[in-house]
Amino acid sequence: MDHLGKGVVQTGKRDIGMQQKSDKVSIQFDDGTTHETNYLLVADGIHSPIRKQLVPQSKPRYAGYTCWRAVVDATGLTLSEASETWGPKGRFGVVPLANNQLYWFATQTAPANDSRMSQMTTSDLLKQFGSYHSPIPDILSRTPDNALIWSDICDLKPLKTYAFDNIVLLGDAAHATTPNMGQGACQAIEDAVVLADELAREGRVSDAFQRFEQRRLKRTHTIIETSRRLGTVAQLDNRLLATLRNGLFRMLPASVNERQLEMLYQVDF
Ligand SMILES: Cc1cc2nc3c(=O)[nH]c(=O)nc-3n(C[C@H](O)[C@H](O)[C@H](O)COP(=O)(O)OP(=O)(O)OC[C@H]3O[C@@H](n4cnc5c(N)ncnc54)[C@H](O)[C@@H]3O)c2cc1C
């Protein structure tokens, strides 16, 4: 930001569409203004209007479960590790944070955009997860209703293209994933690093966008599909299937999990 002149960055603008000409892009905003540019990095999230214009069939797909999250005070709780509990009423995840705080999330199988789910309070969630092991009920009890964030879990079916001449899609606009591997924001950050790397090379910017796409497609597709499958298995609420799953998971050697983590973390960018 220090390198940019005053007024270069404009906030509070909502793009609603664009017109791609041979060497320019004209962006339209909902305040009636337009902006013409040579190149466009599209990073406006899973509902990106510009991605929908470029790839009209790319609508967010619901994963079949909904999610509540909050950050709460964890004073008095002795938690040193993140954990996720899988049960017949849904999943409950706990992530200890710095400064005596804790992030939790809970998921439940539900129809998309269900008004009952959107209105759930902490005491409703306590009815749902109150029989789960300690400290889950305690964590819910210390969550004020106004700290709850509710969202249906969606992803994007993998796109074949992220680079469209002088336009490139980044982050959730390009490859939104379900959060089961905790990778959505991680992949957005990786995009930024890889794109900066490609832009630093000599040559045309649109070629850098192409090379960026080649470096990002496979990895982001694998994460979207693996994360979606993982969510389906984790979210099983049929008792018989869940019991089979739990038995199978107990039998799996730790090396299977480790291999999946290697795919994420041992990568030469
Ligand atoms: C329940 C849940 C749990 C998650 N857990 C994790 C996790 O553990 N680890 C992880 O890495 N990721 C996680 N994620 C995913 C992560 O939140 C996203 O992948 C990440 O925020 C994507 O970043 P982004 O910048 O691409 O998009 P966003 O964060 O969606 O940012 C898009 C920005 O564009 C703006 N915008 C939207 N529309 C327009 C428009 N028309 N014009 C202009 N601006 C616009 C928005 O205001 C926003 O500022 C989780 C997501 C959910 C829903």
Side-chain angles (χ1 to χ4, degrees), residues 95-133:
V95 184
L97 303 175
N99 304 324
N100 259 338
Q101 289 199 303
L102 171 158
Y103 162 67
W104 66 260
F105 60 88
T107 64
Q108 187 188 328
T109 303
N113 215 8
D114 189 313
S115 59
R116 279 177 315 133
M117 300 296 142
S118 69
Q119 285 159 20
M120 291 272 266
T121 59
T122 304
S123 54
D124 295 326
L125 288 172
L126 255 171
K127 284 184 203 138
Q128 178 83 1
F129 295 97
S131 61
Y132 278 35
H133 64 78

Side-chain angles (χ1 to χ4, degrees), residues 7-268:
V8 170
V9 174
Q10 293 183 40
T11 56
K13 291 272 190 184
R14 180 162 287 273
D15 64 78
I16 51 170
M18 59 84 197
Q19 248 191 316
Q20 194 171 17
K21 301 160 192 171
S22 56
D23 58 346
K24 297 261 186 222
V25 186
S26 174
I27 313 156
Q28 290 115 37
F29 297 100
D30 70 348
D31 60 2
T33 58
T34 56
H35 180 79
E36 196 167 75
T37 178
N38 298 103
Y39 305 103
L40 178 61
L41 313 186
V42 181
D44 50 2
I46 187 169
H47 299 289
S48 168
I50 292 181
R51 184 205 62 245
K52 286 181 191 160
Q53 196 180 335
L54 290 165
V55 191
Q57 70 277 20
S58 66
K59 298 191 180 76
R61 49 179 190 179
Y62 182 48
Y65 43 94
T66 200
C67 179
W68 299 267
R69 329 170 243 177
V71 172
V72 292
D73 178 51
T75 308
L77 294 175
T78 42
L79 292 165
S80 55
E81 284 187 333
S83 67
E84 189 170 311
T85 301
W86 295 3
K89 293 181 177 176
R91 280 183 282 164
F92 200 97
V94 179
V95 184
L97 303 175
N99 304 324
N100 259 338
Q101 289 199 303
L102 171 158
Y103 162 67
W104 66 260
F105 60 88
T107 64
Q108 187 188 328
T109 303
N113 215 8
D114 189 313
S115 59
R116 279 177 315 133
M117 300 296 142
S118 69
Q119 285 159 20
M120 291 272 266
T121 59
T122 304
S123 54
D124 295 326
L125 288 172
L126 255 171
K127 284 184 203 138
Q128 178 83 1
F129 295 97
S131 61
Y132 278 35
H133 64 78
S134 168
I136 291 172
D138 184 5
I139 290 170
L140 282 171
S141 307
R142 50 175 86 202
T143 307
D145 284 336
N146 63 7
L148 280 182
I149 302 172
W150 170 74
S151 5
D152 272 350
I153 298 298
C154 299
D155 66 3
L156 282 179
K157 194 172 164 202
L159 305 185
K160 291 194 179 84
T161 312
Y162 297 156
F164 301 80
D165 298 324
N166 47 358
I167 302 181
V168 70
L169 304 178
L170 301 170
D172 272 15
H175 45 65
T177 172
T178 53
N180 302 302
M181 294 166 78
Q183 279 295 308
C186 298
Q187 292 310 304
I189 294 165
E190 285 183 17
D191 279 354
V193 175
V194 172
L195 183 62
D197 185 45
E198 289 300 343
L199 287 172
R201 291 172 208 275
E202 290 201 356
R204 288 165 10 124
V205 171
S206 50
D207 292 341
F209 289 175
Q210 282 290 337
R211 293 193 302 272
F212 162 82
E213 175 186 286
Q214 286 315 306
R215 285 175 68 181
R216 299 300 294 153
L217 276 179
K218 185 161 171 259
R219 181 168 170 82
T220 48
H221 285 186
T222 306
I223 287 169
I224 292 173
E225 297 300 22
T226 312
S227 177
R228 195 172 175 92
R229 269 197 307 275
L230 191 62
T232 308
V233 174
Q235 210 55 42
L236 284 177
D237 47 13
N238 174 302
R239 278 191 179 266
L240 178 66
L241 290 177
T243 306
L244 282 171
R245 173 201 65 197
N246 295 349
L248 201 70
F249 267 58
R250 284 194 192 99
M251 277 155 51
L252 278 182
S255 57
V256 174
N257 256 334
E258 281 158 17
R259 265 205 300 279
Q260 195 166 45
L261 290 177
E262 267 171 30
M263 182 280 276
L264 289 179
Y265 301 125
Q266 299 198 353
V267 51
D268 179 2

